[in-house]
Amino acid sequence: MKKWLTGLFVGLLVLLSGCSFFNLSYDTLDYARDATSYLDKVTQFAADTPSLVKRATDNQQAADELKRELQQMKQEIIKFNNLDAPETVREFHQQLIEQNNRLVSQIDLYLAQLKNGLLDPSFLENNQLLQPVQEITNIVQQIKKLNNQVNETLSVSQGA
């Protein structure tokens, strides 16, 4: 009887640790999907913003549109920063938060300039709004690689 209970207990431990592995793996996949979606938004922002910034120096409508785009991107950043990252990607998430905070600082500078209406062309010479975007892209690419590895591991585990 004791051997049977011990065997049952060991079997439950193995089963529960396996479930934990799958939960962590699926959490990682979910996070990678969220990070990829976020990168798509950042990439679109980076593509749309330069022409809008140039027009915002002499066009009030473009300045208003730029202000809306900056505020919207800032909200996306805050939302992403508040995600609960699984243990497997916590370091990547922290790196993303650091780059996102750099981007938010630049957005805040631009928003402060836009309070006065149009952007001053001399302001554009000294401020690089999109500089953190490349770092964000690089980090998300690393997360995508991890995502692929997790997918392969799950495929092998489920096929076994």
Side-chain angles (χ1 to χ4, degrees), residues 56 59-60 63-64 67 110 112-120:
N59 180 315
Q60 187 60 52
D64 293 341
K67 187 175 181 178
Y110 276 73
Q113 280 293 313
L114 286 167
K115 282 184 181 179
N116 300 326
L118 301 174
L119 282 178
D120 183 350

Side-chain angles (χ1 to χ4, degrees), residues 22-146:
F22 285 115
N23 285 340
L24 187 58
S25 297
Y26 288 120
D27 289 347
T28 301
L29 292 174
D30 289 343
Y31 179 85
R33 253 190 311 277
D34 291 342
T36 300
S37 174
Y38 173 68
L39 177 62
D40 291 343
K41 293 171 186 171
V42 170
T43 302
Q44 189 63 49
F45 174 77
D48 295 344
T49 304
S51 65
L52 200 50
V53 166
K54 286 179 185 172
R55 291 191 339 238
T57 59
D58 62 3
N59 180 315
Q60 187 60 52
Q61 187 176 5
D64 293 341
E65 185 179 343
L66 176 61
K67 187 175 181 178
R68 279 191 301 278
E69 290 291 322
L70 292 169
Q71 290 168 335
Q72 184 177 2
M73 189 69 235
K74 187 174 177 178
Q75 291 304 313
E76 290 294 333
I77 292 169
I78 291 168
K79 181 178 162 187
F80 183 81
N81 283 356
N82 289 327
L83 283 179
D84 185 24
E87 187 178 322
T88 53
V89 292
R90 243 180 226 134
E91 187 176 321
F92 289 123
H93 188 69
Q94 188 56 44
Q95 291 173 19
L96 283 169
I97 287 173
E98 290 169 15
Q99 294 306 317
N100 284 343
N101 290 341
R102 287 182 58 212
L103 184 54
V104 166
S105 293
Q106 287 296 312
I107 288 172
D108 286 342
L109 286 173
Y110 276 73
L111 287 172
Q113 280 293 313
L114 286 167
K115 282 184 181 179
N116 300 326
L118 301 174
L119 282 178
D120 183 350
S122 65
F123 170 78
L124 298 179
E125 295 171 13
N126 300 320
N127 293 287
Q128 298 296 321
L129 174 64
L130 301 176
Q131 193 173 20
V133 170
Q134 185 58 47
E135 281 300 316
I136 292 169
T137 302
N138 292 339
I139 295 166
V140 172
Q141 292 304 325
Q142 292 174 17
I143 293 169
K144 284 181 177 182
K145 286 179 186 176
L146 178 63

Side-chain angles (χ1 to χ4, degrees), residues 9-24:
F9 181 71
V10 170
L12 283 173
L13 280 177
V14 169
L15 181 64
L16 290 175
S17 66
C19 289
S20 175
F21 166 75
F22 285 115
N23 285 340
L24 187 58

